[in-house]
Amino acid sequence: MAEERTRMIEELKKRVVPELNSIGFKGSFPHYRRIKQNRADLLMFQFEKSGGGFLIEISYVLLDGDENNLCIEKNNTPFEKLTVDCTNLRHRLYPDRSDGWFYYYDVAEVKSNGFKFLLPVKPADRQSFIDNTTGNISWLQIADESIYEQLANEVLNKLEEAEKWWLSMPQEKCLSRLRKILKNCLGNK
């Protein structure tokens, strides 16, 4: 694992995980869950394979059996092992930039042939990137030692958005209630 990724994980564990624990989440990095009445709220950190960034996805599962939001192949997963990737409906917490990734590398915006790309660039590779890239390059972020703390604080600021999203989701399974009502009306037929 790259040194930068290790440092980012350490900072998230130092700053974000204690806050998650204080609002009822349990689990181990990168998967967390919280039981609230009849449902579980889920949160996951996912790191980019090539390095330089991570994203955060959230979801939920109703505890009385939620065939609508669980992936079919995950329907028999024990509750304590449910993660965001077991669900169909997910929400990504976006950083202030809108591409979905929290970058701890330098971030270059490259404009070429009418397209615009955000690319993470390892600080040690910055000059090579400049020398070998065609198009107009703008640096949106130059990473330094403070980037890990900055990103952890940005993640903390996104937890309010997560809470609003969870509250907007169904609080109970309407289909399950409807079946029970019909079953009672039809006399268990």
Side-chain angles (χ1 to χ4, degrees), residues 45-56 92-104 107 118 120 141 151 154:
F45 296 93
Q46 180 181 334
F47 280 77
E48 192 170 34
K49 286 182 183 179
S50 60
F54 64 95
L55 58 81
I56 304 166
R92 185 174 291 181
L93 299 177
Y94 285 91
D96 294 334
R97 288 181 309 279
S98 63
D99 70 337
W101 291 90
F102 293 82
Y103 291 114
Y104 48 89
V107 178
L118 290 184
Q141 172 178 290
L151 289 176
E154 190 172 352

Side-chain angles (χ1 to χ4, degrees), residues 81-152:
K81 296 196 184 251
L82 286 175
T83 62
V84 171
D85 58 353
C86 294
T87 64
N88 293 313
L89 178 65
R90 303 173 190 182
H91 177 72
R92 185 174 291 181
L93 299 177
Y94 285 91
D96 294 334
R97 288 181 309 279
S98 63
D99 70 337
W101 291 90
F102 293 82
Y103 291 114
Y104 48 89
Y105 282 179
D106 295 347
V107 178
E109 179 182 77
V110 179
K111 295 177 184 173
S112 181
N113 298 325
F115 295 98
K116 182 170 63 172
F117 306 93
L118 290 184
L119 299 171
V121 178
K122 197 170 188 174
D125 298 336
R126 187 181 307 139
Q127 190 58 50
S128 174
F129 177 81
I130 293 168
D131 294 343
N132 295 300
T133 301
T134 58
N136 184 13
I137 301 171
S138 301
W139 292 98
L140 302 180
Q141 172 178 290
I142 301 296
D144 62 17
E145 292 301 312
S146 68
I147 192 66
Y148 308 104
E149 181 179 345
Q150 289 172 17
L151 289 176

Side-chain angles (χ1 to χ4, degrees), residues 177-189:
R177 282 182 48 209
L178 182 60
R179 284 184 188 139
K180 288 177 186 174
I181 291 168
L182 286 172
K183 190 174 182 182
N184 289 337
C185 289
L186 297 174
N188 295 328
K189 292 181 181 178

Side-chain angles (χ1 to χ4, degrees), residues 10 20 41-42 72 82 98 120 139 145 159 162 173 185 189:
E10 288 171 357
L20 290 174
D41 296 332
L42 306 170
I72 293 188
L82 286 175
S98 63
W139 292 98
E145 292 301 312
L159 292 181
K173 195 168 73 178
C185 289
K189 292 181 181 178

